[in-house]
Every structure is written in structure tokens, then in C-alpha cells.
Amino acid sequence: MMQRLIWRRWLKSWAPPNPLKATKAYTIPTRRPSGRRGFAERRPLEILDHIGSVFADFSNPKKRVFFGYLLLTILIALVWLVAVRRASIRAALHEVFDRKVLFSASSLADYKIFVINRVFTMFISPLLVSQLAIATALYYALHDVDFLQRGLFAGTPKGVIIALFTATIFVVDDLTKYLMHRWMHRWPLLWAIHKVHHSAETMTPITVYRVHPLEGVLYGLRAAVAQGTVMASFLFFFGNAVDLHTVLGVNILSFVFHVTGSNLRHSHISIRYWRWLEHLLISPAQHQVHHSIAREHHDKNFGVAFAVWDWMFGSLHLSEQGRKLKFGLKASEAHPSRLLDIYFRPFGDMARYLRRRARRLHERLRPQAARNSAASGRDKPIPAVARTDPG
């Protein structure tokens, strides 16, 4: 049976923080104030707590937009422009902080979407299944499989277990992101919501939050299933020695991914890798190719960290030096900055797709129904006509 202490540790490490939980410790007043006055005193603090929750990702090392990662992103971009592109420091600063990008209509929409989606997440997150719930259910389900032996690899050295678990959960998480992303482009119902992300005409690190709330829910469920499955499997086969190599409470591989410029993927700074490395890891320039409107770039580079998935499944496209890319979608598909269009058009697109599918299904079934009706008519005996003798 699982040790309660182990589950507490996993809950602390993996369960998403409750954004509605107050971050300040309140002391109990010695004298209870009147109802109206007490509400008036507490209300500003509660509002500040909720505002802090909306922007909490900037102080959370588990999030890509953690302020430390953003500072490193700026530093990497400046070094790239000065050392590789041979730009002056002044020109590099001007390019990194280009007002035409940071304050474009598309980017301003990104900032609004960030706030709206964070508020939505605060209310919907407690209702979604967590990694811990998936892990608990699967862990006990594994006990019912007769040919599986609990603790089969419990004798493995602890250091090996920790390294293997750290790598496995990162790789599985990345693979499931690739698969989900590819399905988002392949299936019209999913593309109806995913194209919100591709409607951005300029990109900044905040563009990663330009997703429809329905897509956010799907990716949250994906993470719960993928990570919960790995957690349960390792705890079942390796026992209580399972742990994670972390930096600032983050999987060390995720930490490396973020400090090496994950935010540059959604930016106007096109950093390329060596060709051999772009077969293994997705460069910022490769993800920008994924957002390109050029026909030859469609449905390419679905990977997040690893390019090997695209290489294996035929969707890899290497970056192109010196090519100016244009981002966004046709006006008939999505609008880059109108919030009502961004949030509500996907529902209309999904409804139209379902109506088309229903109409095609009806057209396919109607000839079959007519043939069946004709066949049943031929099988019926022809009624005899009564003869009447004249006079």
C-alpha cells in the first residue's frame, strides 16, 4: 500500500496551486468588527490577492513566463544579435524591444487574452482532474493485473531511479504535447479552437497564452493523464525511491529548456540551431516556421522541446536563413485582435462543421434508404385484379 508521506510529497510537487488560495496570513482580530465594516476592510485585500493570482505565473519558476526566464531570454537575444548577427548594441536593443511588435494590435490582444484566460483558469482548475487523481487510480488498477509484479525494479539504485523518472516524465510529456498539437491541426473540430493561437500576427512570450479556453482544458487533461500515468507506473514498479531531480522546484530538464530560451519561440528574434541539432531539438526559428503563413510551412514542426518527433513522423522543417516570415491567418479564418471573434468564432466554426458532417451523413444514408425501400417494394406480391363478367 502506498505510503501517505509519498503522496503528500507528490501532491506538493505536482498538483497545481490553488489560485484562489490567499497568499497572505491573516491574524484573527481580538474584537470582531461589524459586518459592513469588516467586509469593507477585507475586500481590498481579497481584490489584491486575486490580482496577484492572475499574474502569479511571472513569479512561478514552473511557468515559462517566470521573470527569471524572461530576463535570460532578453540576454540570449541580445548576445545572438550582437555576436552572431553582428548588430550594434543599440540596434540589438531596438530590435528586441521593437515597439511595432510589442505594441501591435495583435500583441495588445495577447495581453488582454492573458488576463482573461488566467481568470478563467482560476475558476476552472479546481474542477479538472489532477495528476494525483490519475496516478492514484492507475496505481491501484495496476494491482489488479495478475502478471504485473509490484516493486519489480525496487532494487535499482536510487540515483538511477531518480534520473530515469526525471527523463521519462519529461519525454512522455513532450511526446503527448506533440501528438495533441498534431491532432489540433488535423481534426477540424480541434483546429477551430487551435487557430486562435495561430491568429497572432506578431509574437511575444505572452503569445503562448493566446489559446482558446477549450484548448487550455484539453491540454490540462493531457498533462494530468501523461504525468499521472508515469507517476503511477514508476511508483508501482520502483517503489518509494521514486523522486525528481529539480531546480527551483522544477524538473531539471524543464528548467534547462526554459533557461536556454523557450520564450524565444514566440518572438520576432529568429535564432537558428545547427542543422544536425534541429533534427533533435526545436529551435526558436523552427517554431516560427510553424506559425508561418507560407503554404510549404503548414503542418510542420509540431514539437515543443524535441524535434525528433517531427523527424520520425515526417513533419520536420529546418529553419531557413534570411527568410522573412509572416504570421497569422486569413481574415476568413480568424481575426488577430478582436476579442469577441477570438473567443466566440470557434463555436460557430464547430457548429458549421458538425452541420456539414450531419448533412453528408444524411445524403449517404438517403440513397441507401431509397434502395432498401425499392427492394422491399419488389419483394411484395402484386395483388390480383378481380374480374367482373359483363351483364
Side-chain angles (χ1 to χ4, degrees):
M1 184 176 182
M2 268 189 180
Q3 298 297 323
R4 187 172 301 174
L5 181 61
I6 297 298
W7 283 118
R8 285 178 182 171
R9 181 174 61 187
W10 283 119
L11 179 61
K12 184 177 180 182
S13 301
W14 289 101
N18 183 356
L20 298 180
K21 183 178 179 181
T23 56
K24 288 189 176 182
Y26 297 100
T27 57
I28 301 176
T30 55
R31 186 178 69 180
R32 184 178 181 180
S34 62
R36 183 176 297 275
R37 182 182 175 187
F39 175 77
E41 290 176 348
R42 292 194 302 270
R43 189 175 181 183
L45 293 177
E46 292 175 352
I47 292 174
L48 288 175
D49 285 336
H50 290 313
I51 293 174
S53 297
V54 170
F55 296 98
D57 284 4
F58 293 104
S59 59
N60 184 357
K62 295 181 179 180
K63 301 299 181 181
R64 189 182 294 194
V65 293
F66 173 59
F67 75 93
Y69 303 148
L70 292 175
L71 291 176
L72 284 171
T73 296
I74 295 172
L75 180 60
I76 292 171
L78 291 174
V79 170
W80 169 269
L81 292 172
V82 173
V84 178
R85 296 258 299 270
R86 302 298 181 185
S88 66
I89 295 178
R90 182 175 181 179
L93 286 169
H94 183 270
E95 185 167 350
V96 169
F97 298 102
D98 190 345
R99 293 175 59 88
K100 292 181 179 179
V101 173
L102 299 179
F103 297 101
S104 68
S106 177
S107 294
L108 292 177
D110 285 347
Y111 308 147
K112 297 172 187 176
I113 292 169
F114 168 82
V115 174
I116 294 171
N117 285 357
R118 287 293 299 139
V119 172
F120 175 81
T121 302
M122 288 169 56
F123 290 99
I124 199 65
S125 288
L127 305 178
L128 299 179
V129 64
S130 67
Q131 297 100 325
L132 187 63
I134 297 290
T136 302
L138 182 58
Y139 177 83
Y140 286 111
L142 291 173
H143 286 77
D144 297 330
V145 182
D146 295 334
F147 61 86
L148 294 181
Q149 179 183 345
R150 181 189 170 201
L152 180 62
F153 306 112
T156 305
K158 185 175 181 180
V160 174
I161 294 176
I162 295 175
L164 187 60
F165 177 71
T166 300
T168 301
I169 201 162
F170 182 80
V171 171
V172 170
D173 192 60
D174 195 73
L175 173 59
T176 56
K177 286 178 181 177
Y178 169 85
L179 294 174
M180 176 67 77
H181 194 182
R182 185 159 186 153
W183 293 336
M184 286 277 177
H185 282 252
R186 182 176 179 84
W187 295 345
L189 277 178
L190 295 180
W191 172 248
I193 58 176
H194 182 61
K195 68 182 180 180
V196 167
H197 182 65
H198 280 267
S199 65
E201 293 183 342
T202 55
M203 294 198 295
T204 73
I206 305 301
T207 305
V208 74
Y209 289 88
R210 179 188 273 255
V211 294
H212 196 275
L214 291 180
E215 180 175 346
V217 170
L218 291 175
Y219 268 94
L221 295 175
R222 175 214 58 81
V225 172
Q227 297 174 9
T229 299
V230 175
M231 289 165 55
S233 301
F234 266 78
L235 286 168
F236 182 83
F237 288 111
F238 291 91
N240 294 341
V242 175
D243 207 340
L244 192 71
H245 279 305
T246 62
V247 177
L248 299 178
V250 185
N251 184 322
I252 189 171
L253 296 178
S254 296
F255 180 79
V256 171
F257 173 64
H258 292 317
V259 299
T260 53
S262 64
N263 283 298
L264 288 166
R265 283 156 174 75
H266 294 103
S267 77
H268 55 289
I269 309 299
S270 182
I271 294 182
R272 305 170 63 238
Y273 296 162
W274 296 283
R275 290 179 64 85
W276 66 266
L277 187 57
E278 287 193 340
H279 283 80
L280 304 176
L281 301 175
I282 292 288
S283 69
Q286 281 176 288
H287 189 73
Q288 291 160 14
V289 165
H290 175 74
H291 278 265
S292 168
I293 65 173
R295 185 65 190 90
E296 63 271 23
H297 296 157
H298 289 186
D299 298 336
K300 300 295 183 181
N301 299 345
F302 296 110
V304 177
F306 292 116
V308 68
W309 314 126
D310 289 293
W311 190 16
M312 290 170 57
F313 298 112
S315 53
L316 181 68
H317 194 292
L318 302 181
S319 60
E320 303 171 25
Q321 185 173 7
R323 180 167 180 178
K324 188 71 173 177
L325 301 177
K326 185 177 180 181
F327 308 131
L329 295 172
K330 296 178 181 178
S332 58
E333 286 196 85
H335 196 279
S337 58
R338 281 205 287 258
L339 294 183
L340 289 178
D341 185 273
I342 287 170
Y343 280 99
F344 292 105
R345 180 184 286 201
F347 294 109
D349 291 341
M350 288 188 287
R352 283 188 289 273
Y353 171 76
L354 291 175
R355 282 198 298 268
R356 287 197 303 269
R357 295 293 296 178
R359 193 180 305 117
R360 290 175 186 173
L361 181 61
H362 177 70
E363 291 172 354
R364 289 178 182 178
L365 294 177
R366 187 167 56 186
Q368 183 63 39
R371 285 193 297 268
N372 293 341
S373 177
S376 63
R378 286 193 299 269
D379 293 339
K380 290 182 180 179
I382 300 175
V385 179
R387 293 184 59 184
T388 56
D389 294 332

